[in-house]
Amino acid sequence: MYAATRYVARGVIMRFLLPTVLLACTGEADLPGSHTGGVEDSGALEPEACGYTPAPDLDAAEGVVEVDLTASAFPWDPGTGVPLTEGVAYNESVPGPLIEANVGDTIVAHFRNDLSEPLTVHWHGIRLASDMDGGMQMMEPIQPGETFDYVFTVPDAGFYWYHPHLAGAKLIERGLHGRLLVHADDEVPADCDLPISLDDLLLDEDTLQVAPVDTDMMQLMGRLGNVLLANGRSDRRVALTAGQTVLLRLVNPSNARYWDVYVEGQSLQVVATDGGWIPEPYAAESVVLGPGERATVQFTATGSPGEEVRLMNKRFQLHEEGGDMIEYDPLGNGENPVLAFVFGEGSVAGTPWVQPSVPAMPYSGPTETLGHHWVLEEDMMGGTVTIDGEAWPNVPVVDVAAGVDTTFEIENKSEMHHPFHIHGNNFQIVAINGEPPATPQGWKDTWDIPPRSTVTVVSDLWNPGDWMYHCHILEHAEDGMMGEMMVE
Ligand SMILES: [Cu+2]
C-alpha cells in the first residue's frame, strides 16, 4: 500500500517537479504543483481562505499567552508529494505554530526537545532578557528529551520568528522555524491578513529529499534552494475577493536566499519592517528580504473573478556585479512564482487601511558615541568568513554602555551581500556608504550589508544583556561570522 501510494505520488512529481528542475537552468523555471495550470491538470491545492490560525493559548488570563512547543522529527511534504524523511518541525507543522500576542503580553512557551541533538530556541527580533534569547553563550542547550520554559514579555508590536540557534543551517532548512505576531493596540484588522514564510529548499533531483551540503562552495556561499516555498509548500493558492485590503507579513527563514518579491498587478505599500509598523509607509515595486528579515506590505486586491495573480520572486544578485558566482543560484536569473491568489466572484468595499501610529524615527545621522566598527571578510581561496579578522568564538567581544545612543558601522570587504543580525536591541539605519538610505526607515534587527559597502546604524541600546550578533546566512554564522556584544 505504501509503495503504491509512493508510486502515485511520484507520478505527480514527474509531471510537475521535473520541469522545474530541468528549466531551472534556463531561468524559466516553474514550480512543482504549477500555479499556471487549471485545477484538473495541476493537482494544485484548493485555494485556502486568506488568514492564519494562531497557536491555541493555554492560559485564559489576559496578558499571558501560553503555548506548548515541541521540536521533533516530522516528514513534511513541501508540495512534491514526497515527504522529507529528514524533515523536522515544531508541533509537527511547517512553519511551526504562529504565536499571537498583544504588545506587552507575557509569552510562556513550554519547549520540549524531541530531537536527538541539543537545541535552543532563539526569539528573533524580540527585545527580551538575554537568558531567554536562546543565544549559545547565555543558556545551556536543552538536551534531547528535556524541557525548558521560555518566559518573556513582548515590548514591541511587530512580526517576529523563532528558530534554533544550534545547527540552524541544517535544522531551519529542514523545517524548524515558526512565527510570533505581536499586535499593536490600535491595529485595524485587514480583510486578509496573511503571514507568509518565504523559504527555499534544496532537493536532490532524483530522490526529492533534502540534498546534502556536499561541496565546499555551497558551504562558503550559503545554501540556495531549487524549490521556493510559501508557508512550507510550493503549491499554495489563496482565495481573494476584489476590493479586499490585504496585508502580507513576510519573513525570510531561508539559509542564504535574498528574496525580491512582488504581486502581479497589485500596488504594494511597505507598512512595517523587522521591528514593526513604520512611521512613513511607502510605495514599492518589490520588496527585498535578506535571510532573517521581515517586511509587511499592504495592497487593495485588484482582479477579475477567476483570475490568478501570483506572488513572484525576482532573482537577487547575491554577489557584486562582475563576480564569477552569478551562476551559483540553481534557480538562475528568472522570476519564479511562489504562491497564487485566486479571485472569487464579485467584489467588496474593503476595510480602509489605517496605518497604526508609531513615533517618528529618532535619528537623522550618526551619534557622537561610536560603539564599534566591524569588518566582514570572506576569503574565497581559503574558504573562511571572519569578523574583525577572527572566527567565532575568537571574535573580540564588543563592550558598550546600555541606554546610550550609540552608532555602529559594519564594513563589508567581501564580494557578496551579508545579512547582519544583532540580538536584543533595535537599530535604525542612518547611512549606507555615508549617504542616507533611499527609503523611509523603520526599526531593524537584521539588515543587508552590500558588497564592499559600509552601513551605519544607531541604537539607544535600551536592552542590556549579553547578545550575539552574526551574519544570517546560516552557513556563514556556523563558519564563524558571529560575535558577542555586552551591553551593560
Ligand atoms: Cu554572510
Short mmCIF file of all heavy atoms in Angstrom, two decimals, residues 385 416-419 471-473 476-477 481, ligand 1:
data_model
loop_
_atom_site.label_atom_id
_atom_site.label_comp_id
_atom_site.label_asym_id
_atom_site.label_seq_id
_atom_site.Cartn_x
_atom_site.Cartn_y
_atom_site.Cartn_z
N VAL A 385 35.16 32.76 6.50
CA VAL A 385 34.46 34.02 6.71
C VAL A 385 34.84 34.51 8.10
O VAL A 385 34.97 33.72 9.02
CB VAL A 385 32.92 33.86 6.60
CG1 VAL A 385 32.49 33.70 5.15
CG2 VAL A 385 32.42 32.70 7.45
N MET A 416 30.27 39.61 -1.61
CA MET A 416 28.87 39.21 -1.56
C MET A 416 28.12 39.90 -0.43
O MET A 416 28.73 40.44 0.49
CB MET A 416 28.73 37.68 -1.45
CG MET A 416 29.06 37.07 -0.12
SD MET A 416 28.82 35.26 -0.13
CE MET A 416 27.02 35.14 -0.13
N HIS A 417 26.78 39.92 -0.57
CA HIS A 417 25.94 40.51 0.47
C HIS A 417 25.99 39.66 1.74
O HIS A 417 26.07 38.44 1.66
CB HIS A 417 24.49 40.58 -0.01
CG HIS A 417 24.26 41.57 -1.13
ND1 HIS A 417 23.68 42.78 -0.92
CD2 HIS A 417 24.55 41.51 -2.45
CE1 HIS A 417 23.60 43.43 -2.07
NE2 HIS A 417 24.12 42.69 -3.01
N HIS A 418 25.91 40.32 2.89
CA HIS A 418 25.75 39.60 4.16
C HIS A 418 24.61 40.25 4.94
O HIS A 418 24.62 41.47 5.16
CB HIS A 418 27.03 39.66 5.00
CG HIS A 418 28.20 38.99 4.37
ND1 HIS A 418 28.42 37.63 4.41
CD2 HIS A 418 29.23 39.50 3.63
CE1 HIS A 418 29.53 37.33 3.76
NE2 HIS A 418 30.04 38.45 3.26
N PRO A 419 23.63 39.46 5.39
CA PRO A 419 22.56 40.00 6.24
C PRO A 419 23.02 39.97 7.70
O PRO A 419 23.26 38.91 8.26
CB PRO A 419 21.41 39.02 5.99
CG PRO A 419 22.07 37.73 5.62
CD PRO A 419 23.39 38.05 5.01
N CYS A 471 26.20 37.08 10.90
CA CYS A 471 25.63 37.03 9.56
C CYS A 471 24.49 36.02 9.59
O CYS A 471 24.63 34.94 10.16
CB CYS A 471 26.68 36.62 8.54
SG CYS A 471 25.98 36.44 6.88
N HIS A 472 23.34 36.35 8.96
CA HIS A 472 22.22 35.41 8.98
C HIS A 472 22.19 34.48 7.77
O HIS A 472 21.23 33.74 7.56
CB HIS A 472 20.88 36.14 9.14
CG HIS A 472 19.96 35.40 10.07
ND1 HIS A 472 19.31 34.23 9.70
CD2 HIS A 472 19.62 35.61 11.36
CE1 HIS A 472 18.60 33.80 10.72
NE2 HIS A 472 18.77 34.60 11.74
N ILE A 473 23.25 34.50 6.94
CA ILE A 473 23.45 33.37 6.04
C ILE A 473 23.95 32.27 6.98
O ILE A 473 25.02 32.39 7.60
CB ILE A 473 24.44 33.69 4.91
CG1 ILE A 473 23.77 34.68 3.94
CG2 ILE A 473 24.88 32.41 4.18
CD1 ILE A 473 24.64 35.13 2.80
N HIS A 476 27.36 30.88 7.00
CA HIS A 476 28.38 31.83 7.43
C HIS A 476 28.43 31.92 8.95
O HIS A 476 29.50 31.96 9.55
CB HIS A 476 28.11 33.22 6.85
CG HIS A 476 28.31 33.29 5.37
ND1 HIS A 476 28.11 34.45 4.66
CD2 HIS A 476 28.69 32.35 4.48
CE1 HIS A 476 28.37 34.21 3.38
NE2 HIS A 476 28.71 32.95 3.25
N ALA A 477 27.26 31.96 9.58
CA ALA A 477 27.22 32.02 11.05
C ALA A 477 27.95 30.80 11.63
O ALA A 477 28.75 30.92 12.56
CB ALA A 477 25.78 32.07 11.53
N MET A 481 31.15 33.61 11.32
CA MET A 481 30.85 35.02 11.13
C MET A 481 29.84 35.43 12.21
O MET A 481 28.67 35.71 11.94
CB MET A 481 30.30 35.25 9.72
CG MET A 481 30.51 36.66 9.21
SD MET A 481 29.98 36.82 7.49
CE MET A 481 31.47 37.41 6.71
CU CU B 1 27.37 36.20 5.42
#
